[in-house]
Amino acid sequence: MAKSERVSVAKTYKLYIGGKFPRSESGRSYPVTSESGAFLANASQASRKDLRDAVVAARSAFGGWSGATAYNRGQVLYRVAEVMEGRREQFIAEVRDAENVRPRTAESLVDTAIDRWVWYAGWTDKLAAVLGGTNPVAGPYFSFTVPEPTGVVGVLAPQRSSLLGLVSVLAPVLATGCTAVVVSSAARPLPAITLSEVLATSDIPGGVVNLLTGHAAELGSWLASHADVNALDLTGADAEHRTELARSAADTVKRVLRAPEDEPDWTSSPGIGRMRAYLEDKTVWHPMGV
Amino acid sequence: MPVFDYAPAPENREIARVKQYYQPFIGGGFVDGGGEPLKTLNPATGEVLAEVSTVASSDVDSAVTAARKAFERVWSPMPGAERAKYIYRIARLIQERARELAVLESLDNGKPIKESRDADIPTAAAHFFYHAGWADKLDYAGFSTSTAGPPQPLGVAGQVIPWNFPLLMLAWKIAPALATGNTVVLKPAETTPLTALVFAEICQQAELPPGVVNIVPGAGDVGEMLVTHPGIDKVAFTGSTEVGKLIQRQLAGTRTRLTLELGGKAANVVFDDAPLDQAIEGIVNGIFFNQGHVCCAGSRLLVQESVADEVLAKLRARVETLRLGDPLDKNTDIGAINSAEQLAKIRELVASGEDEGAQRWTSSCPVPEKGYFFAPTVFSGVESSMRIAREEIFGPVLSVQTFRTPDEAVTKANTTPYGLSAGVWTEKGSRILWLSNALRAGVVWANTFNRFDPSAPFGGYKESGFGREGGRSGLAAYLKGADDGEV
């Protein structure tokens, strides 16, 4: 009898909320295909309720994550790079399928994504020195300014760059000590879900990152109007929805990142603009005297 | 024991050199605007102080055009070291004319002369002096990148300021804009336009190139014309959260950069180990400074239950000694409420406090019959759900709540959509640092309150706005790519 070929175990791709992997409460899913139309998987189609659960999880996780030492956050982010490295082949295959790029390009994108975590990991305990400082006020007071994380950040992740783009918008949120609710690329969500599995096993506390697959056009408006979201990254929003989302964000005075009109080249050096956008300067005063 | 009374010590109003008529300042000259002239009042008497020509939409166009021309041809190409000298000149001219400006500010705004003289005007001068030094040192401010090089100015800034610190808010806005190479069109508040127009004269005396600074008086409609003007690259607004949200909505989807400094409802937290006499002074300063017309006022007193009775008794005794009246009197502690409209708003909120069951105590100090005045008031028994605990009163009204544990203090302090400032009173250093960390506010004053300095960044969390004024962070608001995550 001929030896039969082993049947692989196919994965069910789910959401990532509060450190767990639930399906959408709505029960909805949508098929994800490769550029050539081949079926890859069914992704969960997150709903408004999923998004609200994700915001609750992100808010609950904020105290712990923002209160962790910068050294600790740095190590955790570095750990993400370590765990990603171990799954390098899987990411390369998923990015290749998702973005329809040559294997060599996929390799380079994944390597850059891993290196981004290392870069951001090193920032956690340097931001205060680079952006804060003591203020030489004209009086008998000691005054200093420290950058603090703004809170929960809503991220509409890039639609095209499924992994490097996602890491480029997510890592700066985490490096500052903020927590995130991310809506992944709608058409290319699979590398994002695999990344959430990496995050779940990298000592990132549950709820610090919540990753929803689905449509930015549907979820974006709930994210923009949610009163417990402090900042909003519109990178993955359609050009025609951006104004409306930014307008809705104004009702709670959210910090809205000025998304570039077209998706940027994520392989270029990131700079600290994104981290700056998620940081609040806090100035503290105390009298000096005997 | 003999009681010594204060004799009146009024400052001479002639020092203010109030003119009957003031004009907008556009393109380096004073011109009549096409808007309906407004009458600015002396809130201490309700009498008309001066008439001010306001601008129409076409004047806003001219001002923006003048600012654009000055930006392109003169101000941004000018070496930083030369820009700096103009800004230093402005700082010096403010110092030279400090007494005139102080008296004028008190006349137009109603604030006590000792505050305009000792706080507003000197701090305004300090802002120009501080920022002048940045003009030729921007490469060192931390915004240069290897790809983009040194940071670049944005262009024309449209700035709208409130009536509570008219000249000081102007300084907070104009000084960093000029230092970074931007030009300015500024709208002063409708009820307090005069010192801004004297400032325009100072720009002339400093020989600032025409168009670098333009002052366009008017009401909210002028503010709206300015912030939505297509020739504006940057909007900086200080004022109410309500108007701030409106501006953020109007600018949604545009490339206009925005910073907002909005309202607050600061908690001033007093622990049982606090130096109580010092704390009482800080509480009084926190809420009664400038009649409570302060966005970062310590309007919610959170006092630990075990010392609440003692604190309240001492507080009432101290507040009872505050002298309310003529803003020009050097002994006056509390001046006039800026406008009839603001007085009505304070009265309405105070009535709501009584209706909702808080206990009102008001100083028995004499209140002048003329003008807009409100006696200092303290509410005890305040619940977090009451309007006087949630809404910005912007007047001399303090709401007192109690707490038992430090955690409860943090929860109560942070239970507000605002996040501008907070105060902490305790002798325990570790508690100060812990609480400073836990309070979600942009400025935390520990064992002090209401301290400001151009080198110390100021601005809010949450619905108190975004962006900072002062320090290195304040420069970011006026430089390309520096504050908005642009990648």
Side-chain angles (χ1 to χ4, degrees):
Chain A
M1 200 171 89
K3 196 176 161 192
S4 67
E5 224 173 83
R6 180 176 176 275
V7 175
S8 66
V9 181
K11 181 166 82 180
T12 298
Y13 287 85
K14 295 192 282 191
L15 308 175
Y16 181 50
I17 300 173
K20 296 193 163 59
F21 292 93
R23 292 187 172 83
S24 170
E25 63 76 37
S26 66
R28 299 180 304 178
S29 68
Y30 67 102
V32 177
T33 59
S34 70
E35 199 79 354
S36 56
F39 174 79
L40 295 175
N42 287 308
S44 291
Q45 188 181 338
S47 65
R48 179 187 180 187
K49 175 75 163 64
D50 296 320
L51 183 123
R52 293 167 70 100
D53 291 345
V55 173
V56 170
R59 176 58 62 190
S60 319
F62 178 68
W65 184 243
S66 61
T69 64
Y71 179 42
N72 178 244
R73 278 205 305 272
Q75 289 184 87
V76 171
L77 297 191
Y78 184 77
R79 176 91 181 137
V80 175
E82 290 177 335
V83 178
M84 264 188 96
E85 190 79 41
R87 295 233 210 171
R88 187 170 172 273
E89 299 309 318
Q90 182 188 359
F91 278 112
I92 291 169
E94 286 186 345
V95 167
R96 198 190 53 217
D97 285 346
E99 301 183 20
N100 192 31
V101 289
R102 292 162 186 274
R104 175 103 17 114
T105 308
E107 256 176 54
S108 160
L109 289 170
V110 171
D111 290 346
T112 309
I114 296 170
D115 292 351
R116 282 283 180 272
W117 287 108
V118 177
W119 193 76
Y120 279 108
W123 265 116
T124 57
D125 52 5
K126 289 150 198 88
L127 286 169
V130 170
L131 301 178
T134 55
N135 309 313
V137 296
Y141 298 91
F142 179 58
S143 173
F144 62 92
T145 296
V146 283
E148 289 192 343
T150 192
V152 174
V153 179
V155 177
L156 300 177
Q159 296 299 330
R160 289 207 293 275
S161 182
S162 61
L163 182 69
L164 176 58
L166 171 66
V167 170
S168 301
V169 297
L170 175 61
V173 175
L174 303 186
T176 59
C178 290
T179 58
V181 174
V182 183
V183 179
S184 77
S185 163
R188 302 169 172 182
L190 303 188
I193 300 161
T194 302
L195 180 69
S196 68
E197 294 164 8
V198 166
L199 299 172
T201 52
S202 303
D203 300 330
I204 292 214
V208 170
V209 179
N210 303 277
L211 217 146
L212 307 174
T213 50
H215 301 293
E218 177 190 356
L219 300 169
S221 63
W222 306 121
L223 200 54
S225 63
H226 200 298
D228 215 12
V229 172
N230 300 90
L232 188 63
D233 174 2
L234 294 176
T235 301
D238 296 341
E240 68 263 31
H241 289 133
R242 281 188 188 169
T243 301
E244 180 196 322
L245 292 173
R247 200 174 287 142
S248 160
D251 291 338
T252 45
V253 197
K254 286 186 179 60
R255 288 84 178 109
V256 180
L257 253 75
R258 298 154 60 82
E261 287 179 9
D262 203 10
E263 212 175 293
D265 172 13
W266 299 108
T267 62
S268 63
S269 172
I272 62 169
R274 283 183 169 272
M275 288 188 288
R276 214 192 273 278
Y278 300 133
L279 290 166
E280 304 282 350
D281 277 344
K282 174 182 278 177
T283 298
V284 180
W285 292 67
H286 195 277
M288 289 195 290
V290 289
Chain B
M1 215 169 76
V3 175
F4 295 98
D5 251 344
Y6 287 89
E11 181 57 284
N12 181 356
R13 88 168 259 171
E14 297 309 315
I15 292 165
R17 290 195 284 217
V18 181
K19 296 189 291 186
Q20 287 190 332
Y21 184 62
Y22 290 81
Q23 292 170 300
F25 181 65
I26 296 173
F30 289 97
V31 291
D32 268 330
E36 194 62 33
L38 65 81
K39 289 184 171 55
T40 186
L41 307 182
N42 175 354
T45 60
E47 288 159 7
V48 174
L49 199 54
E51 188 171 283
V52 179
S53 163
T54 72
V55 299
S57 152
S58 58
D59 303 314
V60 174
D61 288 344
S62 312
V64 172
T65 305
R68 171 68 52 198
K69 203 169 121 190
F71 173 72
E72 285 171 358
R73 299 194 192 163
V74 185
W75 198 244
S76 77
M78 188 184 290
E82 304 303 312
R83 275 206 316 268
K85 286 186 278 183
Y86 282 111
I87 305 169
Y88 279 123
R89 279 186 188 173
I90 291 173
R92 284 299 198 220
L93 283 157
I94 291 174
Q95 290 173 334
E96 287 161 19
R97 299 179 67 174
R99 195 167 168 204
E100 171 196 351
L101 286 164
V103 177
L104 184 62
E105 198 76 298
S106 282
L107 281 171
D108 201 16
N109 167 281
K111 65 175 64 202
I113 185 71
K114 71 174 179 189
E115 288 175 7
S116 50
R117 182 194 63 199
D118 299 345
D120 292 54
I121 310 301
T123 315
H127 266 265
F128 281 99
F129 202 89
Y130 172 83
H131 283 96
W134 270 123
D136 57 354
K137 299 167 192 69
L138 295 172
D139 294 3
Y140 300 93
F143 303 112
S144 304
T145 61
S146 51
T147 45
Q152 298 300 314
L154 299 169
V156 178
Q159 307 177 320
V160 177
I161 57 170
W163 46 259
N164 57 345
F165 295 93
L167 188 73
L168 182 56
M169 290 300 103
L170 172 149
W172 282 29
K173 294 282 179 284
I174 293 185
L178 297 194
T180 47
N182 298 275
T183 58
V184 164
V185 181
L186 176 134
K187 188 195 89 69
E190 186 185 2
T191 60
T192 55
L194 299 189
T195 47
L197 295 166
V198 172
F199 177 81
E201 229 175 81
I202 285 175
C203 292
Q204 285 185 328
Q205 291 176 338
E207 294 172 8
L208 190 71
V212 172
V213 168
N214 303 272
I215 310 283
V216 290
D221 57 328
V222 174
E224 187 171 348
M225 284 175 212
L226 181 58
V227 303
T228 57
H229 197 286
I232 292 287
D233 302 292
K234 153 85 192 177
V235 170
F237 172 77
T238 295
S240 72
T241 289
E242 185 191 352
V243 175
K245 287 178 177 179
L246 186 69
I247 293 173
Q248 193 182 352
R249 257 196 297 274
Q250 285 170 327
L251 296 186
T254 70
R255 304 307 286 179
T256 311
R257 290 259 302 264
L258 175 65
T259 41
L260 297 173
E261 207 271 85
L262 310 177
K265 192 74 191 176
N268 203 357
V269 185
V270 178
F271 284 93
D272 57 5
D273 71 338
L276 283 193
D277 290 335
Q278 229 176 299
I280 296 298
E281 289 308 307
I283 295 163
V284 167
N285 170 265
I287 184 62
F288 300 119
F289 176 64
N290 203 36
Q291 297 72 247
H293 298 331
V294 185
C295 49
C296 54
S299 53
R300 284 187 297 149
L301 176 65
L302 296 180
V303 53
Q304 197 152 21
E305 207 174 80
S306 48
V307 290
D309 291 342
E310 191 187 350
V311 166
L312 265 175
K314 279 175 181 264
L315 180 64
R316 286 173 185 151
R318 177 68 182 91
V319 174
E320 191 66 32
T321 66
L322 294 176
R323 300 170 59 83
L324 178 133
D326 180 8
L328 288 194
D329 191 320
K330 291 165 198 158
N331 295 320
T332 294
D333 297 306
I334 299 186
I337 301 303
N338 181 250
S339 64
E341 189 191 355
Q342 186 59 28
L343 183 59
K345 190 187 150 193
I346 294 168
R347 286 184 173 146
E348 196 262 323
L349 272 159
V350 165
S352 86
E354 290 178 293
D355 290 347
E356 290 188 278
Q359 287 87 57
R360 175 181 176 173
W361 174 89
T362 296
S363 166
S364 65
C365 65
V367 177
E369 283 174 13
K370 271 201 306 184
Y372 316 129
F373 289 91
F374 196 88
T377 294
V378 177
F379 275 106
S380 53
V382 175
E383 300 294 335
S384 298
S385 58
M386 293 178 183
R387 284 182 65 200
I388 54 168
R390 291 183 291 118
E391 295 180 30
E392 190 175 35
I393 300 174
F394 226 64
V397 181
L398 178 67
S399 300
V400 184
Q401 295 181 267
T402 60
F403 67 91
R404 288 183 180 171
T405 65
D407 283 331
E408 188 190 350
V410 169
T411 306
K412 279 188 166 159
N414 286 340
T415 304
T416 165
Y418 295 115
L420 190 52
S421 65
V424 186
W425 298 86
T426 169
E427 287 287 45
K428 199 172 171 192
S430 58
R431 186 180 275 164
I432 290 173
L433 294 176
W434 175 81
L435 207 74
S436 300
N437 195 252
L439 292 168
R440 303 291 291 163
V443 185
V444 178
W445 287 293
N447 293 328
T448 185
F449 211 92
N450 273 345
R451 299 290 143 205
F452 308 96
D453 192 276
S455 71
F458 180 94
Y461 283 41
K462 302 194 282 186
E463 295 193 14
S464 288
F466 45 73
R468 291 295 179 270
E469 295 181 288
R472 198 174 43 164
S473 327
L475 302 173
Y478 293 94
L479 292 168
K480 276 188 184 155
D483 76 342
D484 56 1
E486 229 160 10
V487 281

